[in-house]
Amino acid sequence: MIKVTFSEAGDLMEKIQIGRTELNVNPLGLGTNKIGGYNLFPNLDDETGKKVVQTAIDHDVEMIDTAFMYGLGHSEELIGEVLQKNDRHKVVLATKGAQQVTADGKVTLNNTPDFLTKSVDESLQRLHTDYLDIFYIHFPDQDTPKAEAVGALQRLREAGKLRAIGVSNFSLDQVKEADADGYVDLVENQYNLLQQDAVKELVPYLNEQHISFVPYEPFAAALLTGRYAPDNLPHFEEGDHRLTIDLYKPDQLKANVAKVEQLKPIAAKYEATVAQLVLAWYMKNPLIGPVIPGARTPEQLLVNVQSESVQLNDSDYEAIARIFA
């Protein structure tokens, strides 16, 4: 991963270069599926969501990552409202599309050039901007040649509507197909300390090709926040979506919580929370690019921002890696 050091107001700060572009971004961003994502999370409040975005901008959280599927465009609309009151150029704005919704509410995947072009134009309208810093194909469909799909986004980049092109939830073979012409700048896939499959084959390839890797679900559905303990395991009611996540299944849950428990004394050394320690570990990891934890409230966002002051030494970084090896 290419990291660039800048001098700003006399202070040195490290930014991450996005793919092969001239776009650089702070290591800590914001994922916004809890901002307007009423179809994903219960009891979300729009005004609180907008305050989260404003707080992020006020604290130099540059990358704001959203998607059509977060509330079927509602997350984009809320972020667009906030952007209108701020300097658009302070934000590295990323969104995603690929989902086609029928009149009866059925969602299908569509990577055709016409649909992606339409998706970008509609996202621009909802976000109240004339360009996107990053647009991802959110999921691959079954039929569209991936280089053809990315080629449509390249034409939009040449037209000034995009600055960088990404794909999300693509396998290694699909990434190679998508990048046949060298147009892909980012891949956003699942990765966290408990789910590290991406670094086995995909991420080494991306680094060779100078493609940025953006991990999502950095807290592994809250398991990596430190809120649970061996004597305080989570219990879910029937129908809770976490019951479908492998990490929470009975044969894995105790072992996963026990691993996270080992982070608590390390976090205490840095006067940090476990969640802040985890984010600091990601930001020190040379294999991955910007990290985009979510936040439901401004207070949660500010706690995440404090992780930037946690400067892990090499010994503790390696100790954490061994726990989850």
Side-chain angles (χ1 to χ4, degrees):
M1 196 62 56
I2 299 175
K3 298 190 177 182
V4 184
T5 301
F6 289 86
S7 178
E8 188 170 289
D11 296 325
L12 292 178
M13 60 185 300
E14 194 169 65
K15 293 200 174 190
I16 296 172
Q17 181 179 343
I18 297 300
R20 310 167 180 114
T21 74
E22 296 181 357
L23 184 61
N24 298 287
V25 66
N26 289 340
L28 186 71
L30 171 66
T32 63
N33 58 3
K34 295 185 181 71
I35 297 166
Y38 63 84
N39 56 331
L40 304 174
F41 298 94
N43 305 317
L44 296 179
D45 178 76
D46 285 356
E47 292 304 314
T48 301
K50 288 190 287 186
K51 287 177 184 177
V52 171
V53 177
Q54 185 62 60
T55 303
I57 295 172
D58 291 343
H59 289 80
D60 297 322
V61 176
E62 293 178 317
M63 179 179 278
I64 296 177
D65 180 283
T66 186
F68 166 73
M69 274 306 292
Y70 304 166
L72 304 181
H74 192 50
S75 179
E76 292 178 324
E77 291 169 346
L78 296 178
I79 292 166
E81 288 183 39
V82 178
L83 286 179
Q84 287 184 293
K85 302 174 183 177
N86 289 273
D87 179 358
R88 166 70 180 86
H89 301 290
K90 290 181 66 175
V91 174
V92 176
L93 184 59
T95 192
K96 301 179 282 289
Q99 293 89 350
Q100 186 169 21
V101 183
T102 62
D104 61 359
K106 183 180 179 181
V107 177
T108 59
L109 295 175
N110 190 337
N111 294 173
T112 61
D114 286 349
F115 183 77
L116 292 178
T117 300
K118 177 173 175 283
S119 296
V120 168
D121 286 338
E122 291 175 348
S123 287
L124 290 170
Q125 290 178 351
R126 288 189 291 266
L127 288 159
H128 297 288
T129 184
D130 58 1
Y131 74 96
L132 300 170
D133 295 285
I134 301 164
F135 184 85
Y136 295 92
I137 302 174
H138 201 169
F139 284 87
D141 69 9
Q142 290 188 335
D143 301 319
T144 308
K146 299 305 163 237
E148 183 179 306
V150 169
L153 298 183
Q154 175 63 16
R155 290 190 290 275
L156 294 175
R157 170 157 49 189
E158 292 166 356
K161 293 184 178 182
L162 311 176
R163 297 178 71 190
I165 295 169
V167 298
S168 183
N169 300 294
F170 276 46
S171 68
L172 176 57
D173 286 343
Q174 289 169 332
V175 170
K176 290 179 177 179
E177 181 187 347
D179 194 45
D181 298 308
Y183 295 147
V184 175
D185 301 299
L186 309 95
V187 172
E188 184 176 318
N189 277 18
Q190 184 184 63
Y191 170 82
N192 54 65
L193 281 165
L194 287 166
Q195 296 170 304
Q196 298 194 47
D197 285 349
V199 296
K200 295 176 182 176
E201 292 184 352
L202 175 62
V203 173
Y205 172 81
L206 299 182
N207 278 262
E208 288 174 5
Q209 301 301 315
H210 303 295
I211 298 172
S212 297
F213 177 63
V214 180
Y216 69 73
E217 290 191 359
F219 293 136
L223 272 176
L224 286 165
T225 61
R227 71 175 59 170
Y228 305 121
D231 60 352
N232 181 33
L233 295 176
H235 298 281
F236 305 118
E237 297 179 6
E238 186 175 350
D240 192 301
H241 79 280
R242 281 168 292 190
L243 291 170
T244 66
I245 299 174
D246 286 345
L247 296 175
Y248 277 99
K249 290 182 178 177
D251 61 336
Q252 296 187 37
L253 182 58
K254 284 187 178 180
N256 289 334
V257 170
K259 288 178 181 179
V260 178
E261 192 75 3
Q262 295 178 64
L263 297 179
K264 292 181 179 179
I266 303 175
K269 283 176 55 178
Y270 293 89
E271 298 183 343
T273 67
V274 169
Q276 289 167 342
L277 182 76
V278 168
L279 291 178
W281 190 89
Y282 295 141
M283 287 187 279
K284 187 176 175 68
N285 188 330
L287 295 177
I288 63 178
V291 186
I292 49 170
R296 184 186 286 259
T297 66
E299 292 75 20
Q300 290 177 350
L301 183 281
L302 291 173
V303 169
N304 290 343
V305 168
Q306 290 168 10
S307 66
E308 294 178 306
S309 65
V310 179
Q311 300 296 316
L312 276 181
N313 63 43
D314 292 344
S315 176
D316 288 328
Y317 174 84
E318 291 163 4
I320 293 169
R322 286 194 296 272
I323 292 170
F324 295 91

